[in-house]
mmCIF file of all heavy atoms in Angstrom:
data_model
loop_
_atom_site.group_PDB
_atom_site.id
_atom_site.type_symbol
_atom_site.label_atom_id
_atom_site.label_comp_id
_atom_site.label_asym_id
_atom_site.label_seq_id
_atom_site.Cartn_x
_atom_site.Cartn_y
_atom_site.Cartn_z
ATOM 1 N N ILE A 485 -2.460 23.273 -15.118
ATOM 2 C CA ILE A 485 -1.238 22.549 -14.904
ATOM 3 C C ILE A 485 -1.112 22.010 -13.477
ATOM 4 O O ILE A 485 -0.691 20.811 -13.249
ATOM 5 C CB ILE A 485 -0.070 23.499 -15.197
ATOM 6 C CG1 ILE A 485 0.061 23.742 -16.727
ATOM 7 C CG2 ILE A 485 1.264 22.875 -14.715
ATOM 8 C CD1 ILE A 485 1.042 24.863 -17.144
ATOM 9 N N ILE A 486 -1.399 22.832 -12.522
ATOM 10 C CA ILE A 486 -1.447 22.423 -11.061
ATOM 11 C C ILE A 486 -2.423 21.316 -10.843
ATOM 12 O O ILE A 486 -2.293 20.422 -10.071
ATOM 13 C CB ILE A 486 -1.662 23.622 -10.173
ATOM 14 C CG1 ILE A 486 -0.578 24.660 -10.319
ATOM 15 C CG2 ILE A 486 -1.878 23.179 -8.711
ATOM 16 C CD1 ILE A 486 -0.977 25.977 -9.771
ATOM 17 N N ASP A 487 -3.478 21.307 -11.671
ATOM 18 C CA ASP A 487 -4.529 20.331 -11.517
ATOM 19 C C ASP A 487 -4.077 18.872 -11.673
ATOM 20 O O ASP A 487 -4.818 18.004 -11.233
ATOM 21 C CB ASP A 487 -5.736 20.586 -12.510
ATOM 22 C CG ASP A 487 -6.987 19.856 -12.295
ATOM 23 O OD1 ASP A 487 -7.485 19.898 -11.176
ATOM 24 O OD2 ASP A 487 -7.333 19.045 -13.194
ATOM 25 N N GLY A 488 -3.017 18.682 -12.372
ATOM 26 C CA GLY A 488 -2.469 17.331 -12.559
ATOM 27 C C GLY A 488 -2.197 16.769 -11.087
ATOM 28 O O GLY A 488 -2.553 15.642 -10.828
ATOM 29 N N TYR A 489 -1.609 17.533 -10.229
ATOM 30 C CA TYR A 489 -1.234 17.070 -8.878
ATOM 31 C C TYR A 489 -2.517 17.141 -7.992
ATOM 32 O O TYR A 489 -2.678 16.335 -7.102
ATOM 33 C CB TYR A 489 -0.081 17.827 -8.274
ATOM 34 C CG TYR A 489 1.212 17.395 -8.948
ATOM 35 C CD1 TYR A 489 1.611 17.974 -10.162
ATOM 36 C CD2 TYR A 489 1.937 16.354 -8.405
ATOM 37 C CE1 TYR A 489 2.855 17.547 -10.752
ATOM 38 C CE2 TYR A 489 3.065 15.863 -9.079
ATOM 39 C CZ TYR A 489 3.527 16.462 -10.243
ATOM 40 O OH TYR A 489 4.698 16.035 -10.805
ATOM 41 N N ALA A 490 -3.376 18.063 -8.378
ATOM 42 C CA ALA A 490 -4.734 18.108 -7.594
ATOM 43 C C ALA A 490 -5.527 16.811 -7.979
ATOM 44 O O ALA A 490 -6.178 16.260 -7.086
ATOM 45 C CB ALA A 490 -5.485 19.326 -7.995
ATOM 46 N N SER A 491 -5.424 16.371 -9.240
ATOM 47 C CA SER A 491 -6.010 15.139 -9.628
ATOM 48 C C SER A 491 -5.492 13.874 -8.867
ATOM 49 O O SER A 491 -6.137 12.988 -8.553
ATOM 50 C CB SER A 491 -5.925 14.968 -11.154
ATOM 51 O OG SER A 491 -6.542 16.019 -11.821
ATOM 52 N N ALA A 492 -4.114 13.911 -8.785
ATOM 53 C CA ALA A 492 -3.455 12.850 -8.040
ATOM 54 C C ALA A 492 -3.948 12.859 -6.578
ATOM 55 O O ALA A 492 -4.235 11.815 -5.931
ATOM 56 C CB ALA A 492 -1.926 12.961 -7.984
ATOM 57 N N GLY A 493 -4.108 14.095 -6.015
ATOM 58 C CA GLY A 493 -4.665 14.179 -4.646
ATOM 59 C C GLY A 493 -6.110 13.596 -4.595
ATOM 60 O O GLY A 493 -6.404 12.870 -3.592
ATOM 61 N N ASN A 494 -6.928 13.930 -5.591
ATOM 62 C CA ASN A 494 -8.258 13.509 -5.585
ATOM 63 C C ASN A 494 -8.298 11.958 -5.762
ATOM 64 O O ASN A 494 -8.983 11.275 -4.943
ATOM 65 C CB ASN A 494 -8.938 14.176 -6.951
ATOM 66 C CG ASN A 494 -10.358 13.690 -7.116
ATOM 67 O OD1 ASN A 494 -10.676 12.581 -7.026
ATOM 68 N ND2 ASN A 494 -11.187 14.705 -7.434
ATOM 69 N N ILE A 495 -7.546 11.422 -6.742
ATOM 70 C CA ILE A 495 -7.579 10.002 -7.056
ATOM 71 C C ILE A 495 -7.079 9.099 -5.943
ATOM 72 O O ILE A 495 -7.725 8.223 -5.433
ATOM 73 C CB ILE A 495 -6.830 9.714 -8.370
ATOM 74 C CG1 ILE A 495 -7.585 10.405 -9.514
ATOM 75 C CG2 ILE A 495 -6.662 8.233 -8.568
ATOM 76 C CD1 ILE A 495 -6.731 10.515 -10.737
ATOM 77 N N LEU A 496 -5.864 9.510 -5.382
ATOM 78 C CA LEU A 496 -5.255 8.696 -4.285
ATOM 79 C C LEU A 496 -5.833 8.860 -2.962
ATOM 80 O O LEU A 496 -5.844 7.978 -2.219
ATOM 81 C CB LEU A 496 -3.710 8.966 -4.398
ATOM 82 C CG LEU A 496 -3.063 8.583 -5.687
ATOM 83 C CD1 LEU A 496 -1.575 8.908 -5.626
ATOM 84 C CD2 LEU A 496 -3.239 7.065 -6.008
ATOM 85 N N SER A 497 -6.257 10.084 -2.659
ATOM 86 C CA SER A 497 -6.875 10.226 -1.361
ATOM 87 C C SER A 497 -8.195 9.473 -1.211
ATOM 88 O O SER A 497 -8.495 8.896 -0.213
ATOM 89 C CB SER A 497 -7.140 11.778 -1.036
ATOM 90 O OG SER A 497 -8.084 12.292 -2.010
ATOM 91 N N GLY A 498 -8.998 9.430 -2.299
ATOM 92 C CA GLY A 498 -10.228 8.601 -2.326
ATOM 93 C C GLY A 498 -9.890 7.139 -2.140
ATOM 94 O O GLY A 498 -10.560 6.440 -1.344
ATOM 95 N N ARG A 499 -8.876 6.616 -2.800
ATOM 96 C CA ARG A 499 -8.527 5.215 -2.579
ATOM 97 C C ARG A 499 -8.059 4.875 -1.202
ATOM 98 O O ARG A 499 -8.421 3.917 -0.603
ATOM 99 C CB ARG A 499 -7.441 4.862 -3.633
ATOM 100 C CG ARG A 499 -7.046 3.373 -3.607
ATOM 101 C CD ARG A 499 -6.027 3.059 -4.739
ATOM 102 N NE ARG A 499 -5.627 1.634 -4.631
ATOM 103 C CZ ARG A 499 -4.748 1.120 -5.536
ATOM 104 N NH1 ARG A 499 -4.262 1.828 -6.463
ATOM 105 N NH2 ARG A 499 -4.421 -0.146 -5.324
ATOM 106 N N LEU A 500 -7.129 5.839 -0.675
ATOM 107 C CA LEU A 500 -6.626 5.625 0.724
ATOM 108 C C LEU A 500 -7.757 5.702 1.745
ATOM 109 O O LEU A 500 -7.770 4.991 2.812
ATOM 110 C CB LEU A 500 -5.526 6.579 1.020
ATOM 111 C CG LEU A 500 -4.205 6.426 0.166
ATOM 112 C CD1 LEU A 500 -3.230 7.651 0.346
ATOM 113 C CD2 LEU A 500 -3.574 5.154 0.580
ATOM 114 N N TYR A 501 -8.650 6.595 1.523
ATOM 115 C CA TYR A 501 -9.863 6.864 2.390
ATOM 116 C C TYR A 501 -10.698 5.559 2.461
ATOM 117 O O TYR A 501 -11.161 5.151 3.466
ATOM 118 C CB TYR A 501 -10.610 8.020 1.994
ATOM 119 C CG TYR A 501 -11.692 8.451 3.006
ATOM 120 C CD1 TYR A 501 -11.380 8.781 4.242
ATOM 121 C CD2 TYR A 501 -13.036 8.557 2.523
ATOM 122 C CE1 TYR A 501 -12.306 9.207 5.204
ATOM 123 C CE2 TYR A 501 -14.000 9.029 3.487
ATOM 124 C CZ TYR A 501 -13.709 9.338 4.750
ATOM 125 O OH TYR A 501 -14.627 9.678 5.635
ATOM 126 N N GLY A 502 -10.908 5.030 1.135
ATOM 127 C CA GLY A 502 -11.660 3.784 1.109
ATOM 128 C C GLY A 502 -11.024 2.607 1.779
ATOM 129 O O GLY A 502 -11.674 1.738 2.276
#
Side-chain angles (χ1 to χ4, degrees):
I485 289 172
I486 295 162
D487 188 59
Y489 286 88
S491 297
N494 179 315
I495 293 164
L496 296 178
S497 63
R499 182 175 178 180
L500 293 171
Y501 189 59

